[in-house]
């Protein structure tokens, strides 16, 4: 990584660049930089001799009509109020390196823009709201920001100009550096989505309340419960890439045996980065007894023939919609008798859960249906005393099932998380909702209440299910689920 001649923080370079422009102050250098300074001649040279790269005639982004409709719904919900939705800022990983930026879901959902420091503002008007997207303009060539700032164009790449942004997103664009002062001067009721931009929140500190801001965030969470046509298409893209990622993993299981779970993690990550934006969450590449740890993301354990591999992973698209799929695979391609017994029980539970996903059904129905099957199996195997109704009433099956059977899916892997209970888990399913169905059985390696042959086996099967007008559609049906089909699929991929 090259050493930049920059101030110690991106904020400092903007302040210094502004000072230089206004007061001709010298540019502040980075401590321990190798250059002693910038000569007047070099500074002058860097100002000129650059081609005009402004882009014209840009087509709007694919979801522009959808984001406009979402903003209209938001406007209708909060008439007469100023609404502020930030994208967020870069976060430092260590010293002067940052984590990859991911825009806040609320901001991306309403704009389609994914760049740091952006803010959407809806200002009340006579006929609703006037939307403005506040962004950083292209880095300044006159004051040297474009080559001296660690976030300048020559260091991290070109930003869109404000005129280009207006064409892409269909929203008037302004310089975000002017926004804090505008917000400090604002009058009338204001709401802001908190937790993403401390500077914006500070400018509004005497104008907002936690209760009102929570109402805004809850509304935006609930707005995503039913996916529009664009969102359903993006979820299918995410799942299709995820299917290919699972196929990639099966083809290299022999190399994972020679190394570790990290080989599986890296293999899937390659597919996610080539076809999408990233992974949607930390990949769970859990071999052997690690499969009994629900969120095993260390991925540093051995991969052994004869063990199971629980792979829970999802590709995130360039528009930030993620898949969330799990398969539990025999490393050597064939389930042992006890592995197949447990796997088939989970498969039967998942079949019952998926069948319960229907428009008009209660959200909880798929969970209850899957849990009933698992409880029946545990009683049948003699691992817990029946009857089944008693087991379910007391939740005794949870020693081995542990988690809920699914969740909403979308721009967050656990989407719509701050929605009200009555609109989520206590609600009725509608066409356009997308959720996971993912029952599991986990027999911990140190669980003395089960026979030894069960210990260390964990099985989960997870698919992404879209509620349709007449039932449901399994977006991840491209991956086999039945145990014999899994074995045949793996054999074909490794032949």
């Amino acid at each position: 990584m090259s050493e930049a001649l920059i101030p110690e923080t991106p904020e400092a370079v903007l302040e210094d660049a502004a000072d230089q422009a206004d007061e001709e102050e010298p540019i502040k250098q980075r401590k321990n930089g190798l250059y002693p300074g910038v000569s007047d001649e070099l500074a002058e040279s860097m100002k000129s001799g650059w081609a005009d790269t402004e882009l014209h005639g840009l087509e709007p982004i694919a979801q522009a009509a959808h984001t406009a409709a979402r903003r209209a719904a938001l406007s209708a919900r909060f008439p007469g109020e100023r609404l502020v939705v930030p994208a967020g800022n870069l976060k430092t990983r260590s010293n002067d390196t940052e984590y990859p930026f991911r825009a806040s879901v609320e901001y991306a959902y309403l704009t389609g823009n994914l760049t740091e420091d952006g803010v959407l503002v809806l200002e009340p008007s006579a006929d609703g709201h006037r939307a403005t997207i506040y962004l950083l303009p292209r880095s300044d060539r006159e004051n040297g920001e474009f080559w001296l700032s660690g976030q300048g164009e020559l260091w991290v790449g070109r930003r869109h100009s404000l005129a280009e942004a207006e064409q892409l997103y269909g929203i008037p664009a302004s310089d975000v550096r002017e926004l804090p002062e505008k917000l400090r001067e604002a009058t009338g009721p204001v709401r802001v989505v908190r937790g993403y931009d401390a500077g914006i929140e500070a400018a509004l500190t005497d104008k907002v309340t936690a209760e009102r801001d929570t109402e805004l965030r809850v509304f935006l969470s609930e707005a995503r419960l039913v996916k529009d046509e664009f969102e359903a298409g993006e979820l299918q893209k995410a799942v299709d890439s995820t299917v290919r990622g699972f196929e990639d993993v099966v083809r290299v299981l022999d190399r994972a045996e020679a190394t570790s779970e990290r080989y599986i993690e890296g293999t899937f990550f390659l597919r996610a980065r080539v076809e999408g934006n990233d992974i949607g969450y930390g990949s769970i590449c859990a071999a052997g007894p690690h499969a009994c740890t629900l969120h095993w993301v260390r991925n540093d354990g051995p991969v052994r023939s004869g063990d199971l591999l629980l792979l829970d992973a999802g590709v995130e698209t360039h528009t930030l919609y993620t898949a969330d799929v799990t398969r539990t695979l025999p490393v050597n391609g064939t389930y042992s008798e006890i592995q197949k017994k447990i796997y088939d029980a989970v498969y039967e539970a998942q079949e019952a859960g998926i069948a319960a996903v229907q428009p008009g059904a209660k959200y909880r129905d798929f969970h209850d249906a899957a849990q009933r099957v698992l409880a029946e199996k545990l009683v049948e195997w003699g691992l817990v005393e029946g009857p089944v109704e008693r087991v379910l009433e007391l939740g005794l099956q949870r020693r081995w099932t542990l988690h809920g059977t699914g969740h909403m899916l979308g721009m967050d892997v656990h989407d719509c998380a701050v929605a009200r209970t009555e609109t989520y888990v206590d609600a009725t399913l509608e066409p356009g909702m997308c959720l996971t169905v993912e029952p599991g059985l986990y027999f911990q390696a140190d669980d003395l209440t089960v026979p030894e042959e069960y210990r260390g086996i964990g099985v989960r099967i997870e698919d992404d299910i879209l509620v349709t007008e007449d039932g449901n559609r399994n977006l991840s049906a491209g991956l086999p689920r039945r145990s014999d089909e899994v074995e045949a699929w793996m054999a074909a991929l490794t032949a």
Side-chain angles (χ1 to χ4, degrees), residues 261-262 265-266 279 281-287 290-291 293-301 310 312-313 460:
E261 296 162 339
R262 290 284 168 90
E265 179 183 359
I279 50 175
Y281 54 95
S283 298
I284 299 167
C285 308
H290 288 162
T293 301
L294 299 184
H295 287 172
W296 176 261
V297 293
R298 299 180 201 171
N299 300 333
D300 58 0
L310 190 157
D312 184 337
R460 181 164 67 253

Side-chain angles (χ1 to χ4, degrees), residues 71-142:
R71 294 192 300 274
L74 177 61
S75 172
R77 171 61 181 82
F78 298 104
E81 302 185 54
R82 182 176 280 100
L83 308 173
V84 182
V85 185
N89 315 123
L90 288 172
K91 290 184 172 61
T92 299
R93 181 178 184 270
S94 179
N95 189 27
D96 59 354
T97 61
E98 291 85 25
Y99 288 104
F101 179 74
R102 189 185 190 278
S104 75
V105 166
E106 294 87 351
Y107 175 85
Y109 177 75
L110 293 168
T111 67
N113 176 262
L114 305 178
T115 56
E116 65 269 17
D117 299 326
V119 184
L120 173 69
V121 178
L122 271 62
E123 301 207 24
S125 62
D127 56 353
H129 284 83
R130 182 177 63 258
T132 304
I133 188 170
Y134 288 86
L135 302 166
L136 284 171
R138 289 188 62 187
S139 47
D140 198 325
R141 293 181 183 268
E142 186 64 25

Side-chain angles (χ1 to χ4, degrees), residues 358-370:
Q358 303 283 337
K362 294 296 184 184
Y363 175 85
R364 293 179 183 270
D365 288 352
F366 78 96
H367 168 73
D368 293 340

